[in-house]
Coordinates of all heavy atoms in Angstrom, one line a residue:
M1 N 14.6 6.3 -11.7 CA 14.7 5.3 -12.7 C 13.5 5.0 -13.5 O 13.5 4.8 -14.7 CB 15.2 4.0 -12.1 CG 15.6 2.8 -13.1 SD 14.2 1.9 -13.7 CE 13.6 1.1 -12.3
I2 N 12.3 4.9 -12.8 CA 11.0 4.8 -13.5 C 10.7 6.0 -14.3 O 10.1 5.8 -15.4 CB 9.9 4.5 -12.4 CG1 10.1 3.2 -11.7 CG2 8.5 4.6 -13.1 CD1 9.2 2.9 -10.6
Y3 N 11.1 7.2 -14.0 CA 10.7 8.4 -14.7 C 11.7 8.5 -16.0 O 11.1 8.9 -17.1 CB 10.8 9.6 -13.8 CG 10.6 10.9 -14.5 CD1 9.2 11.3 -14.7 CD2 11.5 11.8 -14.9 CE1 8.9 12.5 -15.4 CE2 11.2 12.9 -15.5 CZ 9.9 13.3 -15.7 OH 9.6 14.5 -16.3
I4 N 13.0 8.3 -15.8 CA 13.8 8.6 -17.0 C 14.1 7.4 -17.8 O 14.5 7.4 -19.0 CB 15.1 9.3 -16.6 CG1 15.9 8.3 -15.8 CG2 14.7 10.6 -15.8 CD1 17.2 9.0 -15.3
E5 N 14.0 6.2 -17.3 CA 14.3 4.9 -17.9 C 15.7 4.9 -18.6 O 15.8 4.9 -19.8 CB 13.2 4.5 -18.9 CG 11.9 4.3 -18.3 CD 10.8 3.8 -19.3 OE1 11.2 3.8 -20.5 OE2 9.7 3.4 -18.9
P6 N 16.8 4.9 -17.8 CA 18.1 5.1 -18.4 C 18.6 3.8 -19.0 O 19.6 4.0 -19.9 CB 19.0 5.6 -17.1 CG 18.3 4.9 -16.0 CD 16.9 4.9 -16.4
F7 N 18.2 2.8 -18.7 CA 18.8 1.5 -19.2 C 18.4 1.2 -20.7 O 17.3 1.5 -21.1 CB 18.4 0.2 -18.4 CG 19.0 0.3 -17.0 CD1 18.2 0.8 -15.9 CD2 20.2 -0.2 -16.7 CE1 18.7 0.8 -14.7 CE2 20.8 -0.2 -15.4 CZ 20.0 0.3 -14.4
R8 N 19.3 0.7 -21.4 CA 19.0 0.3 -22.8 C 18.1 -1.0 -22.8 O 17.1 -1.0 -23.6 CB 20.3 -0.2 -23.5 CG 21.4 1.0 -23.8 CD 22.5 0.3 -24.5 NE 23.6 1.3 -24.6 CZ 23.8 2.1 -25.6 NH1 22.9 2.0 -26.7 NH2 24.7 3.0 -25.7
S9 N 18.3 -1.9 -21.9 CA 17.6 -3.1 -21.9 C 16.4 -3.0 -21.0 O 16.5 -2.5 -19.8 CB 18.4 -4.2 -21.5 OG 17.7 -5.5 -21.2
T10 N 15.2 -3.5 -21.4 CA 14.1 -3.5 -20.5 C 14.2 -4.5 -19.4 O 13.8 -4.2 -18.3 CB 12.8 -3.9 -21.4 OG1 12.6 -3.0 -22.5 CG2 11.5 -3.9 -20.5
T11 N 15.0 -5.5 -19.7 CA 15.2 -6.6 -18.6 C 16.1 -5.9 -17.5 O 15.8 -6.1 -16.3 CB 15.9 -7.8 -19.1 OG1 15.1 -8.4 -20.1 CG2 16.2 -8.8 -18.1
D12 N 17.1 -5.1 -17.9 CA 17.9 -4.5 -16.9 C 17.1 -3.5 -16.0 O 17.3 -3.4 -14.8 CB 19.0 -3.7 -17.6 CG 20.1 -4.7 -18.1 OD1 20.0 -5.8 -17.7 OD2 20.9 -4.2 -19.0
S13 N 16.1 -2.8 -16.7 CA 15.2 -1.9 -15.9 C 14.4 -2.6 -14.9 O 14.2 -2.2 -13.8 CB 14.4 -1.1 -16.9 OG 15.1 -0.3 -17.8
R14 N 13.8 -3.8 -15.3 CA 12.9 -4.5 -14.4 C 13.7 -5.2 -13.2 O 13.3 -5.1 -12.2 CB 12.2 -5.7 -15.2 CG 11.4 -5.2 -16.3 CD 10.2 -4.4 -15.8 NE 9.4 -4.0 -17.0 CZ 9.5 -2.9 -17.7 NH1 10.5 -2.0 -17.4 NH2 8.6 -2.7 -18.6
L15 N 15.0 -5.5 -13.6 CA 15.8 -6.2 -12.5 C 16.3 -5.1 -11.6 O 16.3 -5.4 -10.3 CB 17.0 -6.9 -13.2 CG 16.7 -8.2 -13.9 CD1 18.0 -8.7 -14.5 CD2 16.1 -9.2 -13.0
F16 N 16.6 -3.9 -12.1 CA 17.0 -2.8 -11.1 C 15.8 -2.4 -10.2 O 15.9 -2.2 -9.0 CB 17.4 -1.6 -12.0 CG 17.8 -0.5 -11.1 CD1 19.2 -0.5 -10.5 CD2 17.0 0.6 -10.9 CE1 19.5 0.6 -9.7 CE2 17.4 1.7 -10.0 CZ 18.7 1.7 -9.5
A17 N 14.5 -2.4 -10.8 CA 13.4 -2.1 -10.0 C 13.2 -3.0 -8.9 O 12.8 -2.8 -7.8 CB 12.2 -1.9 -10.9
L18 N 13.4 -4.4 -9.3 CA 13.2 -5.4 -8.4 C 14.3 -5.3 -7.2 O 13.9 -5.5 -6.1 CB 13.4 -6.8 -9.0 CG 13.4 -8.1 -8.2 CD1 12.2 -8.2 -7.4 CD2 13.8 -9.3 -9.0
Q19 N 15.5 -5.0 -7.5 CA 16.5 -4.8 -6.6 C 16.2 -3.7 -5.6 O 16.3 -3.9 -4.4 CB 17.8 -4.4 -7.3 CG 19.0 -4.3 -6.3 CD 20.1 -3.6 -7.1 OE1 20.1 -2.7 -7.8 NE2 21.3 -4.1 -6.7
Q20 N 15.7 -2.6 -6.2 CA 15.3 -1.5 -5.3 C 14.0 -1.8 -4.3 O 14.1 -1.5 -3.1 CB 15.0 -0.3 -6.0 CG 16.1 0.2 -6.9 CD 17.4 0.3 -6.3 OE1 17.5 1.1 -5.3 NE2 18.3 -0.4 -6.7
M21 N 13.2 -2.6 -4.9 CA 12.0 -3.0 -4.0 C 12.4 -3.9 -2.9 O 11.9 -3.8 -1.8 CB 10.9 -3.7 -4.9 CG 10.2 -2.7 -5.8 SD 9.3 -1.5 -4.9 CE 8.1 -2.4 -4.1
V22 N 13.4 -4.9 -3.2 CA 13.9 -5.9 -2.2 C 14.5 -5.1 -1.2 O 14.5 -5.3 0.1 CB 14.7 -6.9 -2.9 CG1 15.5 -7.7 -1.8 CG2 13.9 -7.8 -3.8
L23 N 15.4 -4.2 -1.6 CA 16.1 -3.3 -0.6 C 15.2 -2.5 0.3 O 15.4 -2.5 1.6 CB 17.0 -2.3 -1.3 CG 18.3 -2.9 -1.9 CD1 19.1 -1.8 -2.6 CD2 19.2 -3.5 -0.8
L24 N 14.1 -2.0 -0.3 CA 13.1 -1.2 0.5 C 12.5 -2.1 1.6 O 12.3 -1.7 2.7 CB 12.0 -0.5 -0.4 CG 12.4 0.7 -1.1 CD1 11.2 1.1 -2.1 CD2 12.6 1.9 -0.1
V25 N 12.1 -3.3 1.2 CA 11.5 -4.3 2.1 C 12.5 -4.6 3.2 O 12.1 -4.6 4.4 CB 11.1 -5.5 1.4 CG1 10.5 -6.5 2.4 CG2 9.9 -5.1 0.5
L26 N 13.7 -4.8 2.9 CA 14.8 -5.1 3.9 C 15.0 -4.0 4.9 O 15.2 -4.2 6.1 CB 16.1 -5.5 3.2 CG 16.1 -6.8 2.5 CD1 17.4 -6.9 1.7 CD2 15.9 -7.9 3.4
F27 N 15.0 -2.8 4.5 CA 15.3 -1.6 5.2 C 14.0 -1.3 6.2 O 14.1 -1.0 7.4 CB 15.5 -0.4 4.5 CG 16.8 -0.4 3.7 CD1 17.0 0.1 2.4 CD2 18.0 -1.0 4.3 CE1 18.1 0.1 1.7 CE2 19.2 -1.0 3.6 CZ 19.3 -0.5 2.3
Q28 N 12.9 -1.6 5.6 CA 11.6 -1.5 6.5 C 11.7 -2.6 7.6 O 11.2 -2.4 8.7 CB 10.4 -1.7 5.6 CG 10.1 -0.5 4.7 CD 9.0 -0.7 3.8 OE1 8.4 -1.8 3.7 NE2 8.6 0.4 3.0
A29 N 12.1 -3.8 7.2 CA 12.2 -4.9 8.2 C 13.2 -4.5 9.3 O 13.0 -4.8 10.5 CB 12.7 -6.2 7.4
V30 N 14.4 -3.9 8.9 CA 15.3 -3.4 9.9 C 14.6 -2.4 10.9 O 14.9 -2.5 12.2 CB 16.5 -2.8 9.2 CG1 17.4 -2.1 10.2 CG2 17.3 -3.9 8.5
T31 N 14.0 -1.5 10.3 CA 13.3 -0.5 11.2 C 12.3 -1.2 12.1 O 12.3 -0.8 13.3 CB 12.5 0.5 10.3 OG1 13.4 1.1 9.4 CG2 11.9 1.6 11.1
L32 N 11.5 -2.1 11.7 CA 10.5 -2.8 12.4 C 11.2 -3.7 13.6 O 10.7 -3.7 14.7 CB 9.6 -3.7 11.6 CG 8.6 -2.9 10.8 CD1 7.9 -3.8 9.9 CD2 7.6 -2.1 11.5
I33 N 12.3 -4.3 13.2 CA 13.0 -5.1 14.2 C 13.5 -4.3 15.3 O 13.5 -4.7 16.5 CB 14.1 -5.9 13.5 CG1 13.5 -7.0 12.6 CG2 15.1 -6.5 14.5 CD1 14.6 -7.8 11.8
R34 N 14.0 -3.0 14.9 CA 14.5 -2.1 16.0 C 13.4 -1.7 16.8 O 13.5 -1.6 18.1 CB 15.1 -0.9 15.3 CG 16.5 -1.2 14.7 CD 17.6 -1.3 15.9 NE 18.9 -1.5 15.2 CZ 20.0 -1.6 16.0 NH1 19.9 -1.6 17.4 NH2 21.1 -1.7 15.4
L35 N 12.2 -1.4 16.3 CA 11.1 -0.9 17.1 C 10.5 -2.1 17.9 O 9.8 -1.9 19.0 CB 10.0 -0.5 16.2 CG 10.3 0.9 15.5 CD1 9.2 1.3 14.5 CD2 10.6 2.0 16.4
C36 N 10.8 -3.4 17.5 CA 10.3 -4.5 18.2 C 11.0 -4.8 19.6 O 10.8 -5.9 20.2 CB 10.2 -5.8 17.4 SG 8.7 -5.9 16.5
D37 N 12.0 -4.1 19.9 CA 12.6 -4.2 21.2 C 11.6 -4.0 22.4 O 11.7 -4.5 23.4 CB 13.7 -3.2 21.3 CG 14.9 -3.5 20.5 OD1 14.9 -4.7 20.0 OD2 15.8 -2.5 20.2
E38 N 10.5 -3.3 22.0 CA 9.4 -3.1 22.9 C 8.2 -4.0 22.4 O 7.7 -3.8 21.3 CB 8.9 -1.5 23.0 CG 7.9 -1.3 24.0 CD 7.6 0.2 24.1 OE1 8.3 1.0 23.6 OE2 6.5 0.5 24.6
Q39 N 7.8 -5.0 23.2 CA 6.9 -5.9 22.9 C 5.5 -5.4 22.4 O 5.0 -5.8 21.5 CB 6.7 -7.0 24.0 CG 5.9 -8.2 23.6 CD 6.6 -9.1 22.6 OE1 7.9 -9.1 22.5 NE2 5.9 -9.9 21.9
R40 N 5.1 -4.4 23.2 CA 3.8 -3.8 22.9 C 3.8 -3.1 21.6 O 2.8 -3.2 20.8 CB 3.4 -2.8 24.0 CG 2.0 -2.1 23.9 CD 1.8 -1.1 24.9 NE 2.8 -0.1 25.0 CZ 2.8 1.0 24.1 NH1 1.8 1.1 23.3 NH2 3.8 1.9 24.2
L41 N 4.9 -2.4 21.2 CA 5.0 -1.7 20.0 C 5.1 -2.7 18.9 O 4.5 -2.5 17.8 CB 6.2 -0.7 20.0 CG 6.3 0.2 18.8 CD1 5.1 1.1 18.7 CD2 7.6 1.0 19.0
C42 N 5.8 -3.8 19.1 CA 5.9 -4.8 18.0 C 4.5 -5.4 17.7 O 4.2 -5.6 16.5 CB 6.9 -5.9 18.6 SG 7.2 -7.2 17.3
R43 N 3.7 -5.7 18.7 CA 2.4 -6.3 18.5 C 1.4 -5.3 17.9 O 0.5 -5.7 17.1 CB 1.8 -6.8 19.8 CG 2.4 -7.9 20.4 CD 1.9 -8.3 21.8 NE 2.4 -9.6 22.2 CZ 2.2 -10.1 23.4 NH1 1.2 -9.6 24.2 NH2 2.7 -11.2 23.8
S44 N 1.6 -4.0 18.0 CA 0.8 -3.0 17.3 C 1.0 -3.1 15.8 O 0.2 -2.6 15.1 CB 1.2 -1.6 17.8 OG 2.5 -1.2 17.4
F45 N 2.1 -3.6 15.3 CA 2.4 -3.8 13.9 C 1.9 -5.1 13.3 O 2.1 -5.4 12.2 CB 3.9 -3.6 13.6 CG 4.4 -2.2 13.7 CD1 5.2 -1.9 14.9 CD2 4.1 -1.2 12.8 CE1 5.7 -0.5 14.9 CE2 4.5 0.1 13.0 CZ 5.3 0.4 14.0
G46 N 1.4 -6.0 14.3 CA 0.9 -7.3 13.9 C 1.9 -8.4 14.0 O 1.6 -9.5 13.4
F47 N 3.0 -8.1 14.6 CA 4.0 -9.2 14.7 C 4.2 -9.5 16.3 O 4.2 -8.8 17.1 CB 5.3 -8.7 14.2 CG 5.2 -8.4 12.7 CD1 5.1 -7.2 12.2 CD2 5.3 -9.5 11.7 CE1 5.0 -6.9 10.9 CE2 5.2 -9.2 10.4 CZ 5.1 -7.9 9.9
E48 N 4.6 -10.8 16.5 CA 4.9 -11.1 17.8 C 6.3 -11.0 18.3 O 6.6 -10.8 19.4 CB 4.5 -12.7 18.0 CG 3.0 -13.0 17.9 CD 2.2 -12.3 19.0 OE1 2.8 -12.2 20.2 OE2 1.1 -11.9 18.7

């Protein structure tokens, strides 16, 4: 999306980028939560 910019509206492009960033953070959180089943590994990422 950043490379080809398919949207007519700049606002639509920014909102789509925001949506993808939010999704990336959520998926990373899911991965970390799964890894946090082991307390020692969870603390290595800086979370209790």
Side-chain angles (χ1 to χ4, degrees):
M1 189 279 297
I2 293 175
Y3 181 73
I4 67 176
E5 295 185 354
F7 291 95
R8 293 178 186 268
S9 170
T10 303
T11 301
D12 289 342
S13 296
R14 301 296 184 267
L15 290 176
F16 181 80
L18 171 62
Q19 178 193 46
Q20 302 311 297
M21 290 299 297
V22 169
L23 286 175
L24 277 175
V25 174
L26 289 175
F27 294 140
Q28 288 174 354
V30 169
T31 304
L32 289 175
I33 289 173
R34 285 286 183 178
L35 293 175
C36 269
D37 290 341
E38 185 177 342
Q39 190 68 22
R40 182 182 59 83
L41 188 58
C42 186
R43 289 180 177 176
S44 68
F45 289 107
F47 298 100
E48 292 296 327

